[in-house]
Amino acid sequence: MTTAFVLSGGGNLGAVQVGMLRALHERRIVPDLLVGTSVGALNAAHLAGGGLTADVLDDLAAVWRRVRRKDVFPLDPVRQLLAVAGRLPSLCSSGALRRLIADNVAHRQLEDATIPLLLVATDVRTGEPACLSTGDTVSAVLASTAIPGVFPAVERDGVALCDGAVAANAGISQAVAQHADEIYLLPAGYACALTYAPATALSAALHALSLLIQRQSQLEVAHLVGRVDLHVLPPLCPLSVAPLDFSRAAELIGRGYQATSSWLAKGSDRRPHPERYLALHDHQHDRDGPICPTAAADEPPPRAA
């Protein structure tokens, strides 16, 4: 049997996956394959270097606790003006993100990973998923995280690549294609309880991408449930962390750990219709009170927002 961990995208909410991984490690659930998309690619690449151990998870948690917005999205007003004027391909340079990746992956080639690793990017020209399992690790992670318009595309072997969430966020289908029999989906989730709409172009783009990711994940789970032994871990809910706020990583890791530990203990990862826990929902305007898909796994499926 091949067990795959699939780590989806979600920007700064990728810290949640560290807590999920801790809970899985405590229950001695280990992956034979890691599939990562967008920020999930960064987490998966870090984990693949040393394996699912307490020390590796401590190190990954430390990375998340110290990273700040400028370490991922450096905002340069001159660059932004040039990008808007069509003189540059993206609002942000990828230099800071490249350094963050390079400083936190132990294997320079994907094929040298301790745990087999597959990263999902998108072919800019065709929109098709590009599955990366060989070659330079840093450029592969950078390609999988290259949000269109925010970061420049990454060229690998003559192909321009961007964020894998554009084509196939969750990566479950890619794990199935690699003959995984048992799949654990680690969704980063989205800020379902924001009290205001993101006010800047960058934060609005990131929030919109997180909504797309959640919707794609729900559809992919619904399509594949019953065809593979699929365990969907709980996205945090309610969640009100703004798209550019990297200061709450410790909180997200802790909540991710507690929610996943409780979820697994109750067997909620094996309940029918797991796609319902990924439904977009509303915490402010529902007349019957806030909808929280993961609040009670025994309740009927929540209504879509």
Side-chain angles (χ1 to χ4, degrees), residues 123-151:
D123 185 322
V124 171
R125 188 180 62 83
T126 67
E128 291 296 317
C131 299
L132 310 176
S133 59
T134 61
D136 177 62
T137 302
V138 173
S139 67
V141 176
L142 195 64
S144 185
T145 57
I147 303 168
V150 177
F151 295 119

mmCIF file of all heavy atoms in Angstrom, residues 123-151:
data_model
loop_
_atom_site.group_PDB
_atom_site.id
_atom_site.type_symbol
_atom_site.label_atom_id
_atom_site.label_comp_id
_atom_site.label_asym_id
_atom_site.label_seq_id
_atom_site.Cartn_x
_atom_site.Cartn_y
_atom_site.Cartn_z
ATOM 1 N N ASP A 123 1.424 24.834 -16.506
ATOM 2 C CA ASP A 123 2.001 25.302 -17.760
ATOM 3 C C ASP A 123 1.266 26.587 -18.149
ATOM 4 O O ASP A 123 0.054 26.578 -18.398
ATOM 5 C CB ASP A 123 1.812 24.226 -18.843
ATOM 6 C CG ASP A 123 2.488 24.566 -20.164
ATOM 7 O OD1 ASP A 123 2.481 25.750 -20.553
ATOM 8 O OD2 ASP A 123 3.001 23.639 -20.828
ATOM 9 N N VAL A 124 1.995 27.706 -18.175
ATOM 10 C CA VAL A 124 1.375 29.001 -18.431
ATOM 11 C C VAL A 124 0.676 29.025 -19.789
ATOM 12 O O VAL A 124 -0.394 29.607 -19.952
ATOM 13 C CB VAL A 124 2.436 30.120 -18.354
ATOM 14 C CG1 VAL A 124 1.864 31.451 -18.820
ATOM 15 C CG2 VAL A 124 2.977 30.242 -16.931
ATOM 16 N N ARG A 125 1.263 28.381 -20.775
ATOM 17 C CA ARG A 125 0.725 28.444 -22.137
ATOM 18 C C ARG A 125 -0.555 27.636 -22.295
ATOM 19 O O ARG A 125 -1.516 28.089 -22.913
ATOM 20 C CB ARG A 125 1.771 27.950 -23.140
ATOM 21 C CG ARG A 125 1.388 28.155 -24.606
ATOM 22 C CD ARG A 125 2.467 27.641 -25.530
ATOM 23 N NE ARG A 125 2.691 26.210 -25.381
ATOM 24 C CZ ARG A 125 1.951 25.277 -25.988
ATOM 25 N NH1 ARG A 125 0.935 25.637 -26.764
ATOM 26 N NH2 ARG A 125 2.210 23.997 -25.806
ATOM 27 N N THR A 126 -0.597 26.443 -21.707
ATOM 28 C CA THR A 126 -1.739 25.552 -21.924
ATOM 29 C C THR A 126 -2.715 25.493 -20.759
ATOM 30 O O THR A 126 -3.858 25.055 -20.920
ATOM 31 C CB THR A 126 -1.251 24.116 -22.187
ATOM 32 O OG1 THR A 126 -0.634 23.602 -20.982
ATOM 33 C CG2 THR A 126 -0.243 24.078 -23.330
ATOM 34 N N GLY A 127 -2.261 25.867 -19.559
ATOM 35 C CA GLY A 127 -3.105 25.747 -18.382
ATOM 36 C C GLY A 127 -3.156 24.356 -17.800
ATOM 37 O O GLY A 127 -3.871 24.103 -16.826
ATOM 38 N N GLU A 128 -2.372 23.439 -18.365
ATOM 39 C CA GLU A 128 -2.362 22.061 -17.881
ATOM 40 C C GLU A 128 -1.429 21.915 -16.670
ATOM 41 O O GLU A 128 -0.431 22.630 -16.551
ATOM 42 C CB GLU A 128 -1.894 21.117 -18.988
ATOM 43 C CG GLU A 128 -2.881 20.981 -20.134
ATOM 44 C CD GLU A 128 -4.189 20.359 -19.692
ATOM 45 O OE1 GLU A 128 -4.149 19.374 -18.926
ATOM 46 O OE2 GLU A 128 -5.249 20.856 -20.105
ATOM 47 N N PRO A 129 -1.730 20.961 -15.771
ATOM 48 C CA PRO A 129 -0.818 20.709 -14.654
ATOM 49 C C PRO A 129 0.541 20.224 -15.150
ATOM 50 O O PRO A 129 0.615 19.465 -16.124
ATOM 51 C CB PRO A 129 -1.521 19.609 -13.855
ATOM 52 C CG PRO A 129 -2.938 19.652 -14.292
ATOM 53 C CD PRO A 129 -2.926 20.111 -15.714
ATOM 54 N N ALA A 130 1.591 20.662 -14.495
ATOM 55 C CA ALA A 130 2.947 20.191 -14.778
ATOM 56 C C ALA A 130 3.460 19.528 -13.509
ATOM 57 O O ALA A 130 3.573 20.174 -12.471
ATOM 58 C CB ALA A 130 3.852 21.356 -15.187
ATOM 59 N N CYS A 131 3.724 18.239 -13.561
ATOM 60 C CA CYS A 131 4.151 17.479 -12.391
ATOM 61 C C CYS A 131 5.669 17.379 -12.377
ATOM 62 O O CYS A 131 6.278 16.847 -13.309
ATOM 63 C CB CYS A 131 3.526 16.088 -12.405
ATOM 64 S SG CYS A 131 1.719 16.151 -12.367
ATOM 65 N N LEU A 132 6.285 17.897 -11.329
ATOM 66 C CA LEU A 132 7.738 17.999 -11.244
ATOM 67 C C LEU A 132 8.254 17.009 -10.207
ATOM 68 O O LEU A 132 7.899 17.097 -9.021
ATOM 69 C CB LEU A 132 8.132 19.425 -10.858
ATOM 70 C CG LEU A 132 7.479 20.550 -11.686
ATOM 71 C CD1 LEU A 132 7.874 21.917 -11.133
ATOM 72 C CD2 LEU A 132 7.848 20.415 -13.154
ATOM 73 N N SER A 133 9.097 16.083 -10.642
ATOM 74 C CA SER A 133 9.652 15.085 -9.720
ATOM 75 C C SER A 133 11.155 14.914 -9.882
ATOM 76 O O SER A 133 11.765 14.129 -9.155
ATOM 77 C CB SER A 133 8.960 13.730 -9.920
ATOM 78 O OG SER A 133 9.130 13.277 -11.256
ATOM 79 N N THR A 134 11.752 15.618 -10.815
ATOM 80 C CA THR A 134 13.193 15.560 -11.023
ATOM 81 C C THR A 134 13.721 16.976 -11.251
ATOM 82 O O THR A 134 12.963 17.894 -11.570
ATOM 83 C CB THR A 134 13.569 14.695 -12.243
ATOM 84 O OG1 THR A 134 12.986 15.263 -13.428
ATOM 85 C CG2 THR A 134 13.076 13.267 -12.069
ATOM 86 N N GLY A 135 15.023 17.116 -11.084
ATOM 87 C CA GLY A 135 15.654 18.398 -11.345
ATOM 88 C C GLY A 135 15.769 19.261 -10.103
ATOM 89 O O GLY A 135 15.528 18.825 -8.969
ATOM 90 N N ASP A 136 16.155 20.506 -10.339
ATOM 91 C CA ASP A 136 16.442 21.450 -9.262
ATOM 92 C C ASP A 136 15.230 21.676 -8.358
ATOM 93 O O ASP A 136 14.149 22.036 -8.824
ATOM 94 C CB ASP A 136 16.885 22.777 -9.884
ATOM 95 C CG ASP A 136 17.133 23.842 -8.843
ATOM 96 O OD1 ASP A 136 18.029 23.648 -8.006
ATOM 97 O OD2 ASP A 136 16.412 24.859 -8.857
ATOM 98 N N THR A 137 15.425 21.479 -7.060
ATOM 99 C CA THR A 137 14.323 21.603 -6.104
ATOM 100 C C THR A 137 13.849 23.037 -5.971
ATOM 101 O O THR A 137 12.637 23.311 -5.954
ATOM 102 C CB THR A 137 14.743 21.071 -4.724
ATOM 103 O OG1 THR A 137 15.154 19.709 -4.840
ATOM 104 C CG2 THR A 137 13.599 21.169 -3.726
ATOM 105 N N VAL A 138 14.785 23.976 -5.867
ATOM 106 C CA VAL A 138 14.407 25.369 -5.621
ATOM 107 C C VAL A 138 13.544 25.914 -6.748
ATOM 108 O O VAL A 138 12.490 26.515 -6.509
ATOM 109 C CB VAL A 138 15.660 26.251 -5.415
ATOM 110 C CG1 VAL A 138 15.271 27.726 -5.324
ATOM 111 C CG2 VAL A 138 16.406 25.829 -4.153
ATOM 112 N N SER A 139 13.947 25.690 -7.991
ATOM 113 C CA SER A 139 13.157 26.211 -9.110
ATOM 114 C C SER A 139 11.803 25.515 -9.206
ATOM 115 O O SER A 139 10.808 26.116 -9.626
ATOM 116 C CB SER A 139 13.921 26.079 -10.425
ATOM 117 O OG SER A 139 14.091 24.716 -10.798
ATOM 118 N N ALA A 140 11.734 24.247 -8.804
ATOM 119 C CA ALA A 140 10.461 23.523 -8.835
ATOM 120 C C ALA A 140 9.490 24.093 -7.809
ATOM 121 O O ALA A 140 8.309 24.324 -8.112
ATOM 122 C CB ALA A 140 10.694 22.041 -8.578
ATOM 123 N N VAL A 141 9.966 24.335 -6.588
ATOM 124 C CA VAL A 141 9.106 24.933 -5.567
ATOM 125 C C VAL A 141 8.705 26.344 -5.982
ATOM 126 O O VAL A 141 7.547 26.761 -5.840
ATOM 127 C CB VAL A 141 9.812 24.954 -4.191
ATOM 128 C CG1 VAL A 141 8.935 25.664 -3.153
ATOM 129 C CG2 VAL A 141 10.141 23.544 -3.727
ATOM 130 N N LEU A 142 9.665 27.097 -6.516
ATOM 131 C CA LEU A 142 9.378 28.458 -6.956
ATOM 132 C C LEU A 142 8.315 28.464 -8.043
ATOM 133 O O LEU A 142 7.409 29.313 -8.042
ATOM 134 C CB LEU A 142 10.661 29.112 -7.459
ATOM 135 C CG LEU A 142 10.655 30.634 -7.622
ATOM 136 C CD1 LEU A 142 10.469 31.314 -6.275
ATOM 137 C CD2 LEU A 142 11.946 31.103 -8.278
ATOM 138 N N ALA A 143 8.397 27.514 -8.967
ATOM 139 C CA ALA A 143 7.394 27.429 -10.023
ATOM 140 C C ALA A 143 6.018 27.122 -9.451
ATOM 141 O O ALA A 143 5.007 27.724 -9.836
ATOM 142 C CB ALA A 143 7.793 26.353 -11.034
ATOM 143 N N SER A 144 5.944 26.188 -8.519
ATOM 144 C CA SER A 144 4.659 25.790 -7.941
ATOM 145 C C SER A 144 4.014 26.920 -7.148
ATOM 146 O O SER A 144 2.796 26.939 -6.974
ATOM 147 C CB SER A 144 4.847 24.564 -7.041
ATOM 148 O OG SER A 144 3.607 24.086 -6.571
ATOM 149 N N THR A 145 4.827 27.878 -6.661
ATOM 150 C CA THR A 145 4.315 28.977 -5.838
ATOM 151 C C THR A 145 4.215 30.299 -6.595
ATOM 152 O O THR A 145 3.867 31.325 -5.998
ATOM 153 C CB THR A 145 5.226 29.187 -4.615
ATOM 154 O OG1 THR A 145 6.568 29.434 -5.052
ATOM 155 C CG2 THR A 145 5.229 27.976 -3.699
ATOM 156 N N ALA A 146 4.481 30.291 -7.900
ATOM 157 C CA ALA A 146 4.540 31.537 -8.679
ATOM 158 C C ALA A 146 3.135 32.008 -9.059
ATOM 159 O O ALA A 146 2.639 31.748 -10.159
ATOM 160 C CB ALA A 146 5.396 31.339 -9.926
ATOM 161 N N ILE A 147 2.492 32.723 -8.154
ATOM 162 C CA ILE A 147 1.142 33.225 -8.373
ATOM 163 C C ILE A 147 1.148 34.174 -9.578
ATOM 164 O O ILE A 147 1.909 35.146 -9.597
ATOM 165 C CB ILE A 147 0.629 33.972 -7.137
ATOM 166 C CG1 ILE A 147 0.679 33.055 -5.905
ATOM 167 C CG2 ILE A 147 -0.787 34.498 -7.360
ATOM 168 C CD1 ILE A 147 0.464 33.795 -4.600
ATOM 169 N N PRO A 148 0.324 33.922 -10.594
ATOM 170 C CA PRO A 148 0.334 34.782 -11.781
ATOM 171 C C PRO A 148 0.062 36.246 -11.445
ATOM 172 O O PRO A 148 -0.848 36.559 -10.676
ATOM 173 C CB PRO A 148 -0.803 34.208 -12.633
ATOM 174 C CG PRO A 148 -0.938 32.791 -12.189
ATOM 175 C CD PRO A 148 -0.636 32.810 -10.722
ATOM 176 N N GLY A 149 0.874 37.126 -12.003
ATOM 177 C CA GLY A 149 0.719 38.548 -11.760
ATOM 178 C C GLY A 149 1.391 39.022 -10.497
ATOM 179 O O GLY A 149 1.747 40.201 -10.376
ATOM 180 N N VAL A 150 1.563 38.125 -9.531
ATOM 181 C CA VAL A 150 2.242 38.477 -8.275
ATOM 182 C C VAL A 150 3.723 38.168 -8.383
ATOM 183 O O VAL A 150 4.573 38.993 -8.015
ATOM 184 C CB VAL A 150 1.615 37.729 -7.084
ATOM 185 C CG1 VAL A 150 2.383 38.040 -5.792
ATOM 186 C CG2 VAL A 150 0.145 38.114 -6.937
ATOM 187 N N PHE A 151 4.063 36.976 -8.902
ATOM 188 C CA PHE A 151 5.446 36.588 -9.146
ATOM 189 C C PHE A 151 5.633 36.272 -10.627
ATOM 190 O O PHE A 151 4.681 35.852 -11.299
ATOM 191 C CB PHE A 151 5.812 35.338 -8.329
ATOM 192 C CG PHE A 151 5.792 35.532 -6.842
ATOM 193 C CD1 PHE A 151 4.932 34.788 -6.043
ATOM 194 C CD2 PHE A 151 6.635 36.445 -6.229
ATOM 195 C CE1 PHE A 151 4.907 34.958 -4.673
ATOM 196 C CE2 PHE A 151 6.623 36.632 -4.857
ATOM 197 C CZ PHE A 151 5.749 35.887 -4.079
#
